[in-house]
Amino acid sequence: MALVGLQNETNRKTWIETKLQEIPDGCLILDAGAGERKFKPYCTHLRYVSQDFGQYNGSGDNKGLQTGSWNQDNLDIVSDIISIPRPDASFDAIMCTEVFEHLPDPLLALKEFSRLIKPQGVLLLTAPFCSLTHFAPFHFVSGFNSYWYEKHLPAYGFHIIELEKNGNYFEFLAQEVRRIDGVANKYTNCKANLLERWIEKQLLKRLDRLSRQDTGSNEMLYFGCHVFARKE
């Protein structure tokens, strides 16, 4: 039970690090929507270029989930993600992690990635299947399921090599159970009593047991997709 509902980010980071190591040394990679460039340390064998629109400051409009602080002082490119000032076929790889939900039209970003990636170059994408409001007012889409990638990536010239679903229905519910106290503290004056805390603990135990015995609930709900694709 100690880990149930806590593996969303850990799973994603592990997958991204693994995929980045599969890209040959010296390749030029664009981190699109790089934010604070947290994946740059995984790219020491690559030539790393970061891009972001640079308008989020950590507090946004103070609604939903905000980071509190956000440092983008060292970005290589500050631009709209759908209009990145680089020539066609500039990059061997593009990485875009947890960004698509913050774009008014994510398909325009796919179109731009298709322009920027060299033939046989690779694309690493992650985005939530379902997400709470965060980084507002720059939050436009609640999430993306596997069918979205299967529909749109081929239309923009990408062949999906790997599509991994992170988590399952029970893991997602456990994540939100763990979030109850924080949301309650922000939006109510209600503090959990001993009985309620016991109930939440028992619920997490059950969700842990169900997750361990899961046989495919991620066809309904999960944290998000991890996608590795190649430009044809």
Side-chain angles (χ1 to χ4, degrees), residues 80-181:
D80 193 321
I81 199 169
I82 67 172
S83 182
I84 297 172
R86 290 294 186 273
D88 295 357
S90 290
F91 295 95
D92 302 296
I94 292 180
M95 167 173 57
C96 185
T97 65
E98 308 301 286
V99 173
F100 274 16
E101 72 270 30
H102 302 294
L103 305 180
D105 190 342
L107 290 180
L108 292 180
L110 274 186
K111 180 179 180 182
E112 181 71 344
F113 296 166
S114 181
R115 181 185 74 82
L116 289 169
I117 295 181
K118 297 176 182 178
Q120 300 304 305
V122 295
L123 176 64
L124 287 75
L125 288 176
T126 76
F129 175 84
C130 182
S131 63
L132 304 185
T133 298
H134 61 289
F135 286 37
F138 306 109
H139 186 254
F140 303 105
V141 184
S142 63
F144 302 83
N145 66 23
S146 59
Y147 298 105
W148 191 90
Y149 299 99
E150 291 168 350
K151 169 70 175 177
H152 294 299
L153 281 173
Y156 287 92
F158 292 101
H159 169 69
I160 296 174
I161 300 170
E162 180 178 329
L163 193 157
E164 175 183 283
K165 294 177 180 178
N166 179 13
N168 58 44
Y169 174 84
F170 307 108
E171 287 283 337
F172 188 93
L173 292 184
Q175 173 181 265
E176 297 312 308
V177 168
R178 292 182 181 278
R179 215 191 302 259
I180 289 174
D181 279 351

Side-chain angles (χ1 to χ4, degrees), residues 26-38:
C27 284
L28 184 64
I29 185 169
L30 174 69
D31 188 353
E36 293 187 304
R37 308 187 308 164
K38 65 181 179 181

Side-chain angles (χ1 to χ4, degrees), residues 65 176-188 200:
L65 302 175
E176 297 312 308
V177 168
R178 292 182 181 278
R179 215 191 302 259
I180 289 174
D181 279 351
V183 176
N185 289 339
K186 181 172 182 177
Y187 296 105
T188 79
E200 289 177 9

